[in-house]
Amino acid sequence: MPGFVTRFAPSPTGRLHKGHAWSALLGHRLAQNAGGQWLLRIEDIDPTRCKPDFEAGILEDLAWLGLDWPRPVRRQSDHLADYAAVVDTLRQRGLLYRCFRTRKALLDAIGDAPHGRAEAACPGPHPADEEAVMLEQGLPFAWRLSLDRARAELGDDAWNDLSFVEEGSGPNGETGRIPARPETAGDVILARKDAGTAYHLAVTHDDALQGVTHVIRGEDLFEATHIQVLIQALMNWPRPVYHHHRLLTGPDGRRYAKRDRSVTLAELRAGGMTAEALRAELGF
Ligand code: GLU
């Protein structure tokens, strides 16, 4: 196995934009410089937002950019049983609890608190009698990771020692050895109601399985790293080095994002842009 393995892990919930192109080209170049591998992984566990057409579009756009990757490509929806097995293990260790709350109910409960996110607002396990009633009623539930139980299992020393190496930088310039603070994220969902798994679990499982040594991704996922480090510690999975990068911004100074309908690579191509011109514009 090469000493440097990284991955580009898009979710097929839309077409790629320039920000994706920049991230992919950066990871590819760092892998090439290190004589390593650049993997492509399709993160399509969200059954409502992910579409096969978007996946096909991603492959087309990356090939157009001149990138190449080892086959077969790992598609997360083909491996739901693997993630379910990890959920089972964590559940049997008593680290997970059922959560019947809706995201909306959690967000409503915290009102307009700044940075108020559903996870951080989750008040913990339901009282046993309430849970029994909801189970009886067949209501859907997610599995959440209890940070209290995780901490108790690891022990305070190991918990306080949780850290990762940042070779890029976080949103506030964080770099070098970073202490992990999983408590900022709260009790995250590891198995969604609709998918049986969730982002943090699938991503850490696959990084370990695929021998990823370097995670190169946008700084918007810097905070996610803090919880992913905890999952690695609980599962005894190796910890990659992290390289978060700034998010590319457009001419208006705003970062590219799918939800803003940023111009897609497909549209640029249709408008006559060549891959060479785009690479040059992005500094590759
Ligand atoms: N699939 C995630 C996304 O599209 C990226 C996951 C990662 O790089 O860790 O935002």
Side-chain angles (χ1 to χ4, degrees):
M1 190 163 290
F4 186 109
V5 179
T6 190
R7 82 302 192 276
F8 181 60
S11 297
T13 56
R15 293 299 297 252
L16 301 183
H17 52 64
K18 277 189 196 175
H20 294 116
W22 193 78
S23 186
L25 288 163
L26 176 69
H28 190 263
R29 185 168 72 186
L30 292 174
Q32 251 183 350
N33 289 349
Q37 265 190 343
W38 183 78
L39 308 178
L40 173 63
R41 184 165 78 216
I42 299 294
E43 303 212 322
D44 61 343
I45 55 170
D46 184 328
T48 49
R49 293 174 61 226
C50 296
K51 307 270 183 267
D53 279 0
F54 291 139
E55 179 182 324
I58 288 170
L59 301 183
E60 191 186 338
D61 292 342
L62 294 174
W64 174 74
L65 274 175
L67 300 177
D68 197 13
W69 53 88
R71 270 75 167 181
V73 168
R74 185 171 175 88
R75 182 190 297 117
Q76 290 188 327
S77 63
D78 293 339
H79 302 282
L80 296 178
D82 297 1
Y83 311 127
V86 180
V87 171
D88 261 1
T89 305
L90 294 170
R91 197 173 48 78
Q92 279 163 24
R93 281 159 56 184
L95 296 172
L96 308 185
Y97 62 87
R98 290 186 188 87
C99 180
F100 292 83
R101 303 173 184 94
T102 62
R103 192 176 172 77
K104 183 171 181 318
L106 288 170
L107 289 172
D108 286 351
I110 51 174
D112 294 330
H115 310 298
R117 288 184 324 266
E119 270 82 22
C122 182
H126 297 276
D129 50 342
E130 258 181 39
E131 177 174 329
V133 172
M134 291 184 288
L135 267 180
E136 179 72 38
Q137 291 173 338
L139 296 177
F141 57 85
W143 287 103
R144 284 185 187 270
L145 175 63
S146 162
L147 293 186
D148 286 346
R149 295 183 203 162
R151 183 175 184 141
E153 190 188 280
L154 282 181
D156 282 344
D157 288 348
W159 179 272
N160 292 328
D161 281 350
L162 288 173
S163 68
F164 59 97
V165 173
E166 174 60 61
E167 285 191 348
S169 69
N172 299 307
E174 301 92 333
T175 193
R177 166 91 37 202
I178 312 282
R181 305 246 173 278
E183 54 278 9
T184 322
D187 290 350
V188 293
I189 290 179
L190 293 191
R192 296 159 50 123
K193 290 174 183 170
D194 60 353
T197 182
Y199 162 64
H200 292 299
L201 186 118
V203 89
T204 47
H205 173 276
D206 286 358
D207 286 341
L209 179 83
Q210 297 188 289
V212 169
T213 60
H214 289 70
V215 171
I216 300 163
R217 61 185 180 190
E219 65 182 25
D220 52 331
L221 289 170
F222 183 74
E223 212 181 287
T225 306
H226 292 247
I227 203 82
Q228 292 173 13
V229 161
L230 171 61
I231 298 170
Q232 289 154 359
L234 291 171
M235 290 306 295
N236 230 345
W237 286 333
R239 178 148 323 138
V241 165
Y242 287 84
H243 182 132
H244 293 89
H245 58 72
R246 67 184 176 84
L247 299 174
L248 195 68
T249 48
D252 59 357
R254 299 182 56 203
R255 69 186 177 91
Y256 290 98
K258 279 179 202 161
R259 62 177 172 278
D260 296 339
R261 304 219 172 76
S262 296
V263 64
T264 64
L265 302 185
E267 285 162 358
L268 292 172
R269 186 162 63 240
M273 187 163 212
T274 63
E276 291 67 36
L278 179 61
R279 290 177 73 118
E281 182 192 316
L282 297 176
F284 295 89

